[in-house]
Amino acid sequence: MSPTSDIVRPSKELIEGLKHISSATATGELSRLGVRNAQIIGPRSWTPGAVAVGPALTLQFMPKREDLYDVNEYADPERQLHRHVLYHTQPGDIVVVDARGDLGSGVFGEMMLTYFKGRGGAGVVIDGCIRDYTHAQHLDLPMWLKGVTPNFHTQTNIVPFAVNVPIACNNVLVMPGDIIVADDDGVVVVPIKLAPQLLLTAGEHAEWEEFSRMRLSEGGDLRKYYPLSEGARAEYEAWRREQES
Amino acid sequence: MSPTSDIVRPSKELIEGLKHISSATATGELSRLGVRNAQIIGPRSWTPGAVAVGPALTLQFMPKREDLYDVNEYADPERQLHRHVLYHTQPGDIVVVDARGDLGSGVFGEMMLTYFKGRGGAGVVIDGCIRDYTHAQHLDLPMWLKGVTPNFHTQTNIVPFAVNVPIACNNVLVMPGDIIVADDDGVVVVPIKLAPQLLLTAGEHAEWEEFSRMRLSEGGDLRKYYPLSEGARAEYEAWRREQES
Amino acid sequence: MSPTSDIVRPSKELIEGLKHISSATATGELSRLGVRNAQIIGPRSWTPGAVAVGPALTLQFMPKREDLYDVNEYADPERQLHRHVLYHTQPGDIVVVDARGDLGSGVFGEMMLTYFKGRGGAGVVIDGCIRDYTHAQHLDLPMWLKGVTPNFHTQTNIVPFAVNVPIACNNVLVMPGDIIVADDDGVVVVPIKLAPQLLLTAGEHAEWEEFSRMRLSEGGDLRKYYPLSEGARAEYEAWRREQES
Amino acid sequence: MSPTSDIVRPSKELIEGLKHISSATATGELSRLGVRNAQIIGPRSWTPGAVAVGPALTLQFMPKREDLYDVNEYADPERQLHRHVLYHTQPGDIVVVDARGDLGSGVFGEMMLTYFKGRGGAGVVIDGCIRDYTHAQHLDLPMWLKGVTPNFHTQTNIVPFAVNVPIACNNVLVMPGDIIVADDDGVVVVPIKLAPQLLLTAGEHAEWEEFSRMRLSEGGDLRKYYPLSEGARAEYEAWRREQES
Amino acid sequence: MSPTSDIVRPSKELIEGLKHISSATATGELSRLGVRNAQIIGPRSWTPGAVAVGPALTLQFMPKREDLYDVNEYADPERQLHRHVLYHTQPGDIVVVDARGDLGSGVFGEMMLTYFKGRGGAGVVIDGCIRDYTHAQHLDLPMWLKGVTPNFHTQTNIVPFAVNVPIACNNVLVMPGDIIVADDDGVVVVPIKLAPQLLLTAGEHAEWEEFSRMRLSEGGDLRKYYPLSEGARAEYEAWRREQES
Amino acid sequence: MSPTSDIVRPSKELIEGLKHISSATATGELSRLGVRNAQIIGPRSWTPGAVAVGPALTLQFMPKREDLYDVNEYADPERQLHRHVLYHTQPGDIVVVDARGDLGSGVFGEMMLTYFKGRGGAGVVIDGCIRDYTHAQHLDLPMWLKGVTPNFHTQTNIVPFAVNVPIACNNVLVMPGDIIVADDDGVVVVPIKLAPQLLLTAGEHAEWEEFSRMRLSEGGDLRKYYPLSEGARAEYEAWRREQES
């Protein structure tokens, strides 16, 4: 329905698997896979405790140029690209926006976000702002933003320019269809072709971590319990048997 | 009582009317009235959910110059201009401070803010900081700030310089007596001579928005419901009749 | 046990005494004692309402240089200096980290912070970030940070370089063993040799402040009640007698 | 020859005509034609006195992502897009590069710039740096840069990503084939469809400016001579007749 | 002639005396007189080797607000305040402009600067830019600027707001009539009431400096020659006698 | 003679060898040897055309703290550490200063720089400023600086803190005795243990570069001449024989 392209979505299994990985685990594993910068630095969680894992729909803003952007023509909603990126929404999708870090230009308002949430959108990541936060904060929609503003972007110096194209969110390249893993620590971009490898490592969490955490919280020796030393293994296994019984 | 000037306050009706407009509506309308930058970018809400609408008392800080600013003489509280701006407080007033964006200089502390609140002050907007936030956060006084600091401004490189003069809060000029509209989205300056026009538009909210919001939250088509299309009007009107009955 | 040095800790009495001083009082008094910049500008409270007063263990980060930092060798936890600073923890200690203001490099994760808390650590001050905030926020450990990130510092451009040495946290020099006073207003460094003088002033709080605060909150005249004028002294004393009876 | 697209070049007449307009005149006229931001803020002249007017070949950098950028594969020069943009060079062309404002990543070195100059390239505009400035400064090639660096971009965090696509150079959108007007004042982007209108105004320079400049330099009254007042017209015309005789 | 105020100028003797002091000496002495920040950080010399000492005419820019700034009305040159500040020019005056550090807004162009120079203006200090640098660089007019731009300020977001009022140039307060001392090291503001004291110290330059400089340039011992040690005094006096003979 | 430590200097041969390498070659080779960031971003050449290669004497500044820095005591020149770093000067040495990027604090003035030059100092690299540039620019001493200022550091917020210790110059760690390679492109730090390897590559410059440069400047095909293709080798060899004859 939209003249803009849709994305290729990863399998449900892949997404479901990655939901067990925190952003901290993701970025650590990606580092081992050779990706130095996987965190989009700048946007932070405006919905404490929220987590979002899903494929990226992308929206690119560019500086406004009055010869290319005719306000009147643009008054036709069907020409507004920030609407088009939302038209592609399927349940679980995450909209990622390069809004050029602008702190005075709201990308989406309450109505757009309500629509996105209604369509099953899983989260919003913006290197920039939303507006109508007064209402949008109650939508139960996970959001990672640089800030909020009363301004709508048509008032400002940036305009939506392209949908589902490669974008740069501050220091990170995001390809349409990459997988976003976001939580209270921030936003990580998982390159789609590395996602299966990341999933493999997802199950390999250290079983002794719970034990070690408990001992450390009781004042235990860091050298003994983290990482678990040989000397503490017997103690750990005794504890574990006890837990299981 | 103060040698500094008071402001001319707008009518109660104007202020009351504007209380029904959000900062997002205000800045959108001001944009249509030709004002490009109405939001003071920088200060954000430190009192979530709070709203303030009222006339601006202004306070200007300047870089300290030791030949002009004699600490001893200034020890006389009656020479301290940050007190004088508060002396002008009438119920509903909002103090707006150009503190040069300084992140280490507290403009007001708990006692000053308690006094301001006691006099009926409606809110504080500072392109800079307060101190004593530990206590001030409990005053039930709406505040938009860049940050908080333990430092009092007399310790630092800026000094209060003038009261109720035109000030620049970051990117925006504020004239004494302009109307401030502030909420979770941020702070908007309504030029006093445009306020009546803004008030006129305040009542013209789209009656179908509630309906559209509901439909969008249910997964309705953005093109159909926002803005309300001709094709959805009958549905809307049916819903409306139902609501009214 | 660690090849790095421990700090000299101040007396319990000194620390206990300073617990009655807010960061705002501390920085004001230090200013009178000649210290212009006592606040570390940058880190802010990520644990609202938390207060921490204690001696500083210090950790210095430096830019990574691959010829000096061998990832494999560093895989030996005992070479990791961010662990060593924690080995020195005694109850009441505060770890202060110069992480060069980096917003994409997590100094400590949940396990390290759990250990620190378990050892009685009183707080963490970082000119930079932690990771695992998702879990670390529930540790009941006071933290002043510039931000949070999923990245662990080994992935990034900075490395832990020295423990319990003089460090510069943004605009402030911190000597190992200096006393930190931190609360919602921010972080203040009390030079150890000025701490006793600061303690002396701690008891001299104005007894009339409670009275004045009450009067100001009722709309009282700032000139009369703050500071308490001669004209209000009789009223204050009457109120005080009433309170005591 | 290159898989990347070439640009559509404006007529020789248009370019020749615009060579008589300074960047200051261009940006002033564009402002009157409705373009608010025509100057690329950031790059400045590194070749004092040089002027360049010509169509823009564009090169876009993006953040490096190791899964997409294989250093070995890229070792094949024919995959290097910063070469491809130069393959399109025709005499009079100007290369404009969005290098993301990076101050540590050199877009072109001496050999590339020598080739560009050899092919008739008229100038280089980079929101970023070149390397080999030691030698490149002697090429007699006009350059507007943010800086210089010894680093080649393959060492750094950005990679050439696309050729002759719309790019954002800091605050300004540049379309391939737009006309650049650059001199000691900086770099102005003339949207191609506004260029003919700009050319029309190019001839309309005020004939009295030379006269006024002379009078002002002799201490003449600004109100009388700039703009030329009615009262000074006779004097101007006498002077002009004298000049012509 | 202008509705704006003129300044009170210091005596010729004071200005002539201060011409023998470098900006480095001025700021050092002012520091001893209690003025911590006397240098305007930001503007640097765009006219290498040029020196300017004279009283400050001041011009203040503010953010543009469309309800207060009517472009048409402003088309009347007599309403343009950047012209008015120049109307006050007397030989030896220096124009100091708070242009809010803006890098895309030219305060003066060639014609204005030609007029200023023609009237005997001694220099221009702008926390911002000029335009027409292509021509203005040949005016033999000392200039300290943050940059140059093709844009005229009427195109941009700042407007001239007041003439000969106190202004803040970045970190420094400048009062109309203060004395500017500017050279290759930068711009220093000498508060008018401290100027006579500064003049007194101007004559007290160390007579042995020339001798010490010579010895140091020959590889002499810093401890012996700078400051001149007792042990080197005889050598110095011998050298001095030789010079005088 | 100084209580501060001297550095271990590399062999003359190593330094002489590295003098044939540009900063661009150095940083490229270091990248291949695994060092990602070898350029100190920030300081740029203030002495166009100058080159400096030599071992680093280091000086570290820290934020001033009034309890540790007694101005009176410091009046004794022998306590001033910026003098001590110069006492270690041997011919060919380069002083590298972490001045915390401060733009208002001059590390050295003319007399210090004269002494350093007199002792055979080869260059100065400061992440900060010098003062007395008016005179210092004529010393024929290569300097890489962020800026110049009239202020002496004793007036400001930073103080010299340690000599010949590891320092961080903006993004790069510099160890005392590392080798600096600096020219118009900027400043590169060669880790001392990688210097011999770098020297080996220094001789391997491409002999065909001169030939290719000539062909490119004549409009030759980049693909043919850079890098030199097989197809162009015969042409190159013919040219070379001609040159030699």
Side-chain angles (χ1 to χ4, degrees):
Chain A
M1 271 208 284
S2 167
T4 59
S5 307
D6 199 2
I7 60 171
V8 177
R9 284 175 184 75
S11 72
K12 284 255 150 91
E13 291 67 33
L14 191 52
I15 296 293
E16 288 308 310
L18 290 174
K19 283 186 179 169
H20 300 102
I21 302 183
S22 68
S23 68
T25 300
T27 193
E29 291 299 325
L30 288 169
S31 170
R32 276 180 279 275
L33 296 173
V35 177
R36 287 179 57 90
N37 299 315
Q39 181 202 7
I40 302 176
I41 295 177
R44 61 182 183 79
S45 173
W46 280 67
T47 45
V51 171
V53 176
L57 299 167
T58 66
L59 175 62
Q60 181 189 44
F61 274 73
M62 283 290 215
K64 187 193 283 184
R65 221 172 71 180
E66 292 78 358
D67 63 306
L68 296 174
Y69 177 91
D70 181 325
V71 175
N72 296 329
E73 196 176 326
Y74 195 74
D76 170 11
E78 286 316 296
R79 290 182 55 88
Q80 300 171 3
L81 290 178
H82 67 292
R83 293 174 67 100
H84 280 261
V85 71
L86 299 186
Y87 292 164
H88 293 289
T89 309
Q90 293 192 10
D93 285 353
I94 296 176
V95 176
V96 184
V97 185
D98 172 8
R100 304 185 68 70
D102 195 301
L103 291 174
S105 190
V107 166
F108 299 117
E110 181 205 3
M111 296 300 273
M112 293 293 131
L113 293 169
T114 299
Y115 168 69
F116 179 63
K117 171 77 182 173
R119 291 290 298 274
V124 171
V125 173
I126 306 179
D127 188 26
C129 297
I130 63 158
R131 69 197 282 266
D132 281 338
Y133 178 64
T134 308
H135 301 106
Q137 64 190 295
H138 304 300
L139 283 176
D140 191 26
L141 177 67
M143 297 190 286
W144 289 261
L145 313 170
K146 280 193 76 175
V148 298
T149 172
N151 293 335
F152 189 47
H153 58 76
T154 53
Q155 303 165 229
T156 69
N157 297 320
I158 60 173
V159 292
F161 193 82
V163 167
N164 290 336
V165 296
I167 60 173
C169 267
N170 189 7
N171 60 315
V172 173
L173 180 69
V174 185
M175 303 295 286
D178 280 339
I179 300 176
I180 299 299
V181 174
D183 54 27
D184 281 352
D185 268 0
V187 180
V188 171
V189 179
V190 180
I192 188 63
K193 82 176 186 200
L194 299 180
Q197 262 179 283
L198 188 59
L199 184 57
L200 287 180
T201 66
E204 300 170 10
H205 70 285
E207 296 184 336
W208 46 262
E209 279 212 357
E210 189 189 347
F211 168 74
S212 291
R213 186 182 294 111
M214 186 192 60
R215 282 292 178 267
L216 294 175
S217 72
E218 296 161 358
D221 185 353
L222 190 62
R223 278 156 288 208
K224 187 169 176 189
Y225 295 112
Y226 190 75
L228 192 72
S229 65
E230 277 315 297
R233 185 154 289 273
E235 184 187 349
Y236 158 60
E237 280 166 5
W239 170 84
R240 196 173 156 195
R241 281 189 301 270
E242 205 173 301
Q243 296 300 104
E244 291 166 358
S245 65
Chain B
M1 270 205 287
S2 167
T4 59
S5 306
D6 198 2
I7 59 172
V8 177
R9 285 176 182 74
S11 71
K12 284 255 150 93
E13 291 67 33
L14 190 53
I15 296 294
E16 288 308 311
L18 291 174
K19 284 187 179 168
H20 301 103
I21 303 182
S22 69
S23 69
T25 300
T27 194
E29 291 298 326
L30 287 170
S31 170
R32 277 180 278 276
L33 296 173
V35 177
R36 287 180 57 91
N37 298 316
Q39 182 202 6
I40 301 176
I41 296 177
R44 60 181 184 79
S45 173
W46 280 67
T47 46
V51 172
V53 176
L57 299 168
T58 67
L59 174 62
Q60 181 190 43
F61 274 73
M62 282 291 214
K64 187 194 285 184
R65 220 171 72 179
E66 291 79 357
D67 63 306
L68 296 175
Y69 178 90
D70 181 326
V71 174
N72 296 329
E73 196 176 327
Y74 195 74
D76 171 11
E78 286 317 294
R79 290 181 56 89
Q80 300 172 3
L81 290 178
H82 69 291
R83 293 173 68 101
H84 280 262
V85 71
L86 300 186
Y87 291 164
H88 294 290
T89 309
Q90 293 192 9
D93 285 354
I94 295 177
V95 176
V96 184
V97 185
D98 171 8
R100 304 186 68 72
D102 195 300
L103 291 175
S105 190
V107 166
F108 298 117
E110 182 205 3
M111 297 299 274
M112 293 292 131
L113 293 168
T114 298
Y115 168 69
F116 179 62
K117 171 77 181 173
R119 291 290 298 274
V124 171
V125 173
I126 306 179
D127 188 27
C129 297
I130 62 157
R131 69 197 282 265
D132 280 337
Y133 178 63
T134 308
H135 302 106
Q137 64 189 296
H138 304 301
L139 282 177
D140 191 27
L141 176 68
M143 298 189 287
W144 289 261
L145 313 170
K146 280 193 76 175
V148 298
T149 173
N151 294 335
F152 188 48
H153 58 77
T154 53
Q155 304 166 231
T156 69
N157 298 318
I158 59 173
V159 292
F161 193 81
V163 167
N164 291 336
V165 297
I167 60 173
C169 266
N170 190 6
N171 59 316
V172 173
L173 180 68
V174 185
M175 303 296 286
D178 279 338
I179 299 177
I180 300 300
V181 175
D183 55 27
D184 281 352
D185 268 359
V187 180
V188 171
V189 179
V190 180
I192 188 65
K193 81 177 188 200
L194 299 179
Q197 261 178 285
L198 187 60
L199 184 57
L200 287 180
T201 67
E204 301 170 11
H205 71 285
E207 297 184 333
W208 46 262
E209 280 213 356
E210 188 189 348
F211 168 74
S212 291
R213 186 181 294 113
M214 185 193 62
R215 283 292 179 268
L216 294 175
S217 72
E218 297 160 358
D221 186 352
L222 191 61
R223 280 157 287 209
K224 188 168 174 190
Y225 295 113
Y226 190 74
L228 191 73
S229 65
E230 277 315 296
R233 184 155 291 271
E235 184 187 349
Y236 158 60
E237 281 166 5
W239 171 85
R240 195 174 156 194
R241 281 189 300 271
E242 205 173 302
Q243 297 300 105
E244 292 166 357
S245 64
Chain C
M1 270 202 287
S2 168
T4 59
S5 307
D6 198 2
I7 59 171
V8 177
R9 285 175 182 76
S11 71
K12 284 254 150 93
E13 291 67 33
L14 191 52
I15 296 293
E16 288 308 311
L18 291 174
K19 283 186 179 170
H20 300 104
I21 303 183
S22 69
S23 70
T25 299
T27 194
E29 291 299 325
L30 287 170
S31 170
R32 275 180 280 275
L33 296 174
V35 177
R36 286 179 59 90
N37 298 316
Q39 182 202 6
I40 301 176
I41 296 178
R44 60 180 184 79
S45 172
W46 280 68
T47 45
V51 172
V53 176
L57 299 167
T58 67
L59 175 62
Q60 181 190 43
F61 274 74
M62 283 290 215
K64 188 194 283 183
R65 221 171 71 180
E66 292 78 358
D67 63 306
L68 296 174
Y69 178 91
D70 181 325
V71 174
N72 296 329
E73 196 177 326
Y74 195 75
D76 171 10
E78 286 317 295
R79 289 182 56 89
Q80 300 171 4
L81 291 177
H82 67 292
R83 293 174 68 100
H84 280 262
V85 71
L86 300 186
Y87 291 164
H88 294 290
T89 309
Q90 293 192 10
D93 285 354
I94 296 177
V95 175
V96 184
V97 185
D98 171 9
R100 304 186 68 71
D102 195 300
L103 292 175
S105 191
V107 167
F108 299 116
E110 182 206 1
M111 297 299 273
M112 293 292 131
L113 293 169
T114 298
Y115 168 68
F116 179 62
K117 171 78 182 173
R119 291 289 298 274
V124 171
V125 173
I126 306 179
D127 188 28
C129 297
I130 63 158
R131 71 198 281 265
D132 282 338
Y133 178 64
T134 307
H135 302 106
Q137 64 188 294
H138 303 303
L139 282 177
D140 190 27
L141 177 67
M143 297 189 286
W144 288 261
L145 313 169
K146 281 194 75 174
V148 298
T149 172
N151 293 335
F152 188 48
H153 58 77
T154 53
Q155 304 165 229
T156 69
N157 298 319
I158 59 172
V159 292
F161 193 81
V163 167
N164 290 336
V165 297
I167 60 173
C169 266
N170 190 7
N171 59 316
V172 174
L173 180 69
V174 186
M175 303 296 286
D178 279 339
I179 300 177
I180 299 299
V181 175
D183 55 28
D184 281 352
D185 268 358
V187 180
V188 171
V189 179
V190 180
I192 188 63
K193 81 177 188 199
L194 299 180
Q197 260 178 286
L198 189 58
L199 184 56
L200 287 181
T201 66
E204 301 169 12
H205 71 284
E207 297 184 335
W208 46 262
E209 280 212 357
E210 189 189 346
F211 168 74
S212 291
R213 185 181 294 112
M214 185 193 61
R215 283 292 179 267
L216 294 176
S217 73
E218 296 161 359
D221 185 352
L222 190 62
R223 279 157 289 208
K224 188 169 174 189
Y225 295 112
Y226 190 74
L228 191 72
S229 65
E230 278 314 298
R233 185 154 288 272
E235 184 187 350
Y236 158 59
E237 281 166 6
W239 170 85
R240 196 173 155 195
R241 281 189 300 271
E242 206 173 301
Q243 295 301 104
E244 291 166 357
S245 64
Chain D
M1 269 202 286
S2 167
T4 58
S5 307
D6 199 1
I7 60 171
V8 178
R9 285 176 183 74
S11 71
K12 284 256 151 90
E13 292 67 33
L14 191 52
I15 296 293
E16 288 308 311
L18 290 174
K19 284 186 179 169
H20 300 103
I21 302 183
S22 69
S23 69
T25 300
T27 193
E29 290 299 325
L30 287 169
S31 169
R32 276 180 279 275
L33 296 173
V35 177
R36 286 180 57 91
N37 298 316
Q39 182 202 5
I40 302 176
I41 296 177
R44 61 181 184 77
S45 172
W46 281 67
T47 46
V51 172
V53 176
L57 300 167
T58 66
L59 174 61
Q60 181 190 43
F61 274 73
M62 283 291 214
K64 187 195 284 183
R65 222 170 71 179
E66 291 79 357
D67 63 306
L68 296 174
Y69 177 91
D70 180 325
V71 174
N72 296 330
E73 195 176 327
Y74 195 74
D76 170 11
E78 285 317 294
R79 290 181 55 87
Q80 299 171 3
L81 291 178
H82 68 292
R83 294 173 68 100
H84 281 261
V85 70
L86 300 186
Y87 291 164
H88 294 289
T89 309
Q90 292 192 9
D93 286 353
I94 296 177
V95 176
V96 183
V97 185
D98 171 9
R100 305 185 68 70
D102 195 300
L103 292 175
S105 190
V107 166
F108 298 117
E110 181 205 3
M111 297 299 273
M112 293 293 132
L113 293 169
T114 299
Y115 167 69
F116 178 63
K117 171 77 180 173
R119 291 290 298 275
V124 171
V125 172
I126 306 179
D127 186 28
C129 298
I130 63 159
R131 70 197 281 266
D132 281 339
Y133 179 64
T134 308
H135 301 106
Q137 64 190 294
H138 304 300
L139 282 177
D140 191 26
L141 177 68
M143 297 189 287
W144 289 261
L145 313 169
K146 280 194 75 175
V148 299
T149 173
N151 294 335
F152 188 47
H153 58 77
T154 54
Q155 304 166 229
T156 70
N157 297 319
I158 60 173
V159 292
F161 193 81
V163 167
N164 291 335
V165 297
I167 60 172
C169 266
N170 189 7
N171 59 315
V172 174
L173 180 68
V174 185
M175 303 296 286
D178 280 338
I179 299 176
I180 300 299
V181 175
D183 55 27
D184 282 351
D185 269 358
V187 180
V188 171
V189 179
V190 180
I192 187 65
K193 81 176 187 200
L194 300 179
Q197 260 178 285
L198 188 58
L199 183 58
L200 287 180
T201 66
E204 299 169 12
H205 71 284
E207 296 184 333
W208 46 262
E209 279 212 356
E210 188 189 347
F211 168 74
S212 291
R213 185 181 295 112
M214 185 193 61
R215 283 293 179 266
L216 293 176
S217 72
E218 296 162 358
D221 185 353
L222 190 62
R223 279 158 287 209
K224 188 169 176 189
Y225 294 112
Y226 190 75
L228 192 71
S229 65
E230 277 315 296
R233 185 154 291 272
E235 184 187 350
Y236 158 59
E237 279 167 7
W239 171 85
R240 195 173 156 195
R241 280 189 301 272
E242 206 172 302
Q243 296 302 103
E244 291 166 359
S245 65
Chain E
M1 270 202 287
S2 168
T4 58
S5 306
D6 199 1
I7 60 171
V8 177
R9 285 174 183 76
S11 71
K12 283 255 152 92
E13 291 68 32
L14 190 53
I15 297 293
E16 288 309 310
L18 291 174
K19 284 186 179 169
H20 300 103
I21 303 183
S22 68
S23 69
T25 300
T27 194
E29 292 298 327
L30 287 170
S31 169
R32 276 180 279 275
L33 296 174
V35 177
R36 286 179 57 91
N37 298 315
Q39 181 201 6
I40 302 176
I41 295 177
R44 61 181 184 78
S45 173
W46 281 68
T47 46
V51 172
V53 176
L57 299 167
T58 67
L59 175 62
Q60 181 189 43
F61 274 73
M62 283 289 215
K64 187 194 285 184
R65 220 170 73 179
E66 292 78 356
D67 63 306
L68 296 174
Y69 177 92
D70 180 327
V71 174
N72 296 330
E73 196 177 325
Y74 195 74
D76 170 11
E78 286 317 295
R79 290 181 55 89
Q80 300 171 3
L81 290 178
H82 68 292
R83 294 173 67 100
H84 281 262
V85 70
L86 300 186
Y87 291 164
H88 294 289
T89 310
Q90 293 192 9
D93 286 353
I94 296 177
V95 176
V96 184
V97 186
D98 171 9
R100 305 186 67 71
D102 196 299
L103 292 175
S105 191
V107 166
F108 298 116
E110 181 206 2
M111 297 299 274
M112 293 292 132
L113 293 169
T114 299
Y115 168 70
F116 178 63
K117 170 78 181 174
R119 291 289 298 273
V124 171
V125 173
I126 307 179
D127 187 27
C129 297
I130 63 159
R131 69 198 281 265
D132 281 337
Y133 178 64
T134 308
H135 302 106
Q137 64 190 294
H138 304 301
L139 282 177
D140 190 26
L141 177 67
M143 298 189 286
W144 289 262
L145 314 169
K146 280 194 77 174
V148 298
T149 173
N151 294 334
F152 188 48
H153 58 77
T154 54
Q155 304 166 230
T156 70
N157 297 320
I158 58 172
V159 292
F161 193 81
V163 168
N164 290 337
V165 297
I167 61 173
C169 265
N170 190 6
N171 59 316
V172 174
L173 180 69
V174 185
M175 303 295 286
D178 280 338
I179 300 176
I180 300 299
V181 175
D183 54 28
D184 281 352
D185 269 358
V187 180
V188 171
V189 179
V190 180
I192 188 64
K193 82 177 186 199
L194 299 179
Q197 262 178 286
L198 189 59
L199 185 56
L200 287 180
T201 67
E204 301 170 10
H205 70 284
E207 297 185 334
W208 46 262
E209 280 213 355
E210 188 189 347
F211 168 74
S212 291
R213 185 181 294 112
M214 185 192 60
R215 282 295 178 264
L216 294 176
S217 72
E218 296 161 359
D221 185 353
L222 190 62
R223 279 158 286 208
K224 187 169 175 190
Y225 295 112
Y226 189 75
L228 191 72
S229 65
E230 277 315 296
R233 184 155 290 271
E235 183 187 349
Y236 158 58
E237 280 167 5
W239 170 85
R240 194 173 158 195
R241 280 189 300 272
E242 206 174 300
Q243 296 301 104
E244 291 167 358
S245 65
Chain F
M1 270 205 288
S2 168
T4 59
S5 307
D6 199 3
I7 60 171
V8 177
R9 284 175 183 75
S11 71
K12 283 254 151 90
E13 291 67 33
L14 190 53
I15 296 294
E16 287 309 310
L18 290 175
K19 283 187 178 167
H20 300 103
I21 302 182
S22 69
S23 69
T25 300
T27 193
E29 291 299 324
L30 287 170
S31 169
R32 276 180 280 275
L33 296 173
V35 177
R36 287 180 57 91
N37 299 315
Q39 182 202 6
I40 301 176
I41 296 178
R44 60 181 185 78
S45 173
W46 280 68
T47 46
V51 172
V53 176
L57 298 168
T58 66
L59 174 62
Q60 181 189 42
F61 274 73
M62 283 289 214
K64 186 195 286 183
R65 221 171 71 179
E66 291 78 358
D67 63 307
L68 296 174
Y69 178 91
D70 180 324
V71 174
N72 295 330
E73 196 176 325
Y74 195 74
D76 170 11
E78 285 317 294
R79 290 181 56 89
Q80 300 172 4
L81 291 177
H82 68 291
R83 294 173 67 100
H84 280 262
V85 71
L86 301 186
Y87 291 164
H88 294 289
T89 310
Q90 293 192 8
D93 286 353
I94 295 177
V95 176
V96 184
V97 185
D98 171 8
R100 304 186 67 72
D102 195 300
L103 292 175
S105 190
V107 166
F108 298 118
E110 182 205 3
M111 298 298 275
M112 294 291 131
L113 293 168
T114 299
Y115 168 69
F116 179 63
K117 171 77 181 173
R119 290 290 297 274
V124 171
V125 173
I126 306 179
D127 187 27
C129 297
I130 62 158
R131 69 198 282 264
D132 281 338
Y133 179 63
T134 308
H135 302 106
Q137 65 189 294
H138 304 302
L139 283 177
D140 191 26
L141 176 68
M143 296 189 287
W144 289 261
L145 313 169
K146 281 194 75 175
V148 298
T149 173
N151 294 335
F152 188 48
H153 58 77
T154 53
Q155 304 166 228
T156 70
N157 298 318
I158 59 173
V159 293
F161 192 82
V163 167
N164 290 336
V165 296
I167 60 173
C169 266
N170 189 7
N171 60 316
V172 174
L173 181 68
V174 185
M175 303 295 286
D178 279 338
I179 300 176
I180 300 299
V181 175
D183 55 27
D184 281 352
D185 269 359
V187 180
V188 171
V189 178
V190 180
I192 188 64
K193 81 177 188 198
L194 300 179
Q197 261 178 284
L198 188 59
L199 184 57
L200 287 180
T201 67
E204 300 170 12
H205 71 284
E207 297 185 334
W208 45 261
E209 279 212 357
E210 187 190 348
F211 167 74
S212 291
R213 184 181 295 112
M214 185 193 62
R215 283 292 179 267
L216 294 175
S217 72
E218 296 161 358
D221 186 353
L222 190 62
R223 279 157 288 208
K224 188 169 175 189
Y225 295 113
Y226 190 75
L228 191 71
S229 65
E230 277 315 296
R233 184 153 292 271
E235 183 187 349
Y236 158 59
E237 280 166 7
W239 171 84
R240 194 173 157 196
R241 282 188 300 272
E242 206 173 301
Q243 296 301 104
E244 292 166 358
S245 65

